[in-house]
Amino acid sequence: MAKQKYQMKVERSQKMEAQEMQRLSTINFAPYIQLATGLIGKSRHAGGNMFRHQMDTLAILIDYGYIDSPLLKASIVHDTVEDIPDFDKNLIINADEDGPDVLEIVMEVTRRENEDKRQFLHRILDYGSQKAKILKCADRISNMISLGYVTDPKFIERYCDETEFFLLPMALEVDFNMYQELISLIMTRRRYLEDGGYFDTRIKESNG
């Protein structure tokens, strides 16, 4: 296993005991959930909407034992700046005492105007903070699960390749369990393509 770039600095419990659940219960998510409702009208390629995706990303982090307040709050609004036109970043800053830290994480996982997808992921992989990488891995787990409802084989192949190239090394740095889940998700999605004959078709097309 490759040497980890970070030692674990993010509040996390391997198993959610009563003490950790009590700490989780003190986190006020309501202001961030309210901001995230602006994503309800944004549909997703796999169905559903972007608001549900924010909540799913939050659930994945909690499932992995994360109890870090700014990280969890950032997961709820991580797509707001990118996907809500003219979104006012001050709404996050002023949401509560964690607002400035939350926005910092959100901006790390927000695609910039001059970035294509590969440049965006390269930036997070090379320069992202630990919390940004953890959030991006949880976000990608949610997306890879949703990929099971996508029927476009080229999209599935591209997304799996992208996950293997960028997200696996990212997860390897910050959370080995997320790394293992992402590998499993890549394998199941590629098996779907294989069982459907997609790769055989591609070989025939390349051979003329």
Side-chain angles (χ1 to χ4, degrees):
M1 177 179 169
K3 183 178 179 181
Q4 285 192 337
K5 191 173 180 180
Y6 302 97
Q7 292 183 347
M8 186 55 63
K9 301 174 185 175
V10 180
E11 289 185 275
R12 181 183 176 189
S13 172
Q14 292 290 343
K15 188 177 180 182
M16 267 310 174
E17 303 289 359
Q19 182 178 357
E20 284 74 27
M21 291 303 295
Q22 178 61 34
R23 291 178 63 189
L24 192 62
S25 71
T26 65
I27 300 176
N28 182 15
F29 294 118
Y32 297 92
I33 293 174
Q34 183 176 14
L35 293 178
T37 59
L39 291 164
I40 288 176
K42 297 286 183 178
S43 61
R44 305 192 74 210
H45 195 68
N49 62 47
M50 291 300 295
F51 171 74
R52 297 181 194 176
H53 168 61
Q54 313 301 289
M55 303 308 295
D56 189 36
T57 305
L58 169 67
I60 289 168
L61 288 171
I62 294 173
D63 181 38
Y64 273 97
Y66 290 100
I67 51 177
D68 182 272
S69 179
L71 173 62
L72 295 180
K73 291 173 179 178
S75 72
I76 297 173
V77 292
H78 73 271
D79 284 318
T80 53
V81 174
E82 186 171 326
D83 288 341
I84 298 178
D86 301 317
F87 181 81
D88 184 359
K89 301 181 188 71
N90 288 315
L91 294 174
I92 295 178
I93 292 175
N94 297 323
D96 64 7
E97 68 279 359
D98 285 330
D101 292 332
V102 172
L103 181 62
E104 186 174 341
I105 300 169
V106 168
M107 294 309 298
E108 285 192 78
V109 299
T110 296
R111 189 166 155 184
R112 297 168 183 170
E113 289 185 9
N114 62 340
E115 288 179 325
D116 61 26
K117 190 67 174 294
R118 293 178 65 86
Q119 290 171 329
F120 164 60
L121 293 172
H122 253 305
R123 172 171 58 79
I124 299 174
L125 178 60
D126 293 341
Y127 305 108
S129 67
Q130 186 185 24
K131 291 182 182 181
K133 291 183 179 185
I134 292 169
L135 174 53
K136 192 59 190 174
C137 288
D139 168 67
R140 182 52 64 112
I141 288 171
S142 171
N143 288 334
M144 287 295 290
I145 292 170
S146 297
L147 202 60
Y149 299 96
V150 175
T151 57
D152 180 351
K154 290 184 178 180
F155 181 88
I156 296 170
E157 182 186 30
R158 178 180 63 80
Y159 213 76
C160 287
D161 290 346
E162 185 182 277
T163 302
E164 181 177 7
F165 190 81
F166 294 106
L167 275 299
L168 288 186
M170 198 180 298
L172 195 57
E173 289 183 5
V174 295
D175 194 312
F176 189 66
N177 291 322
M178 284 187 174
Y179 170 79
Q180 290 179 306
E181 181 170 5
L182 284 167
I183 287 178
S184 177
L185 287 166
I186 292 170
M187 291 174 62
T188 59
R189 301 313 176 243
R190 284 181 173 159
R191 190 178 303 123
Y192 164 78
L193 295 177
E194 185 176 354
D195 291 346
Y198 172 69
F199 295 120
D200 292 337
T201 302
R202 280 198 57 189
I203 292 172
K204 289 178 182 178
E205 289 176 351
S206 65
N207 292 333

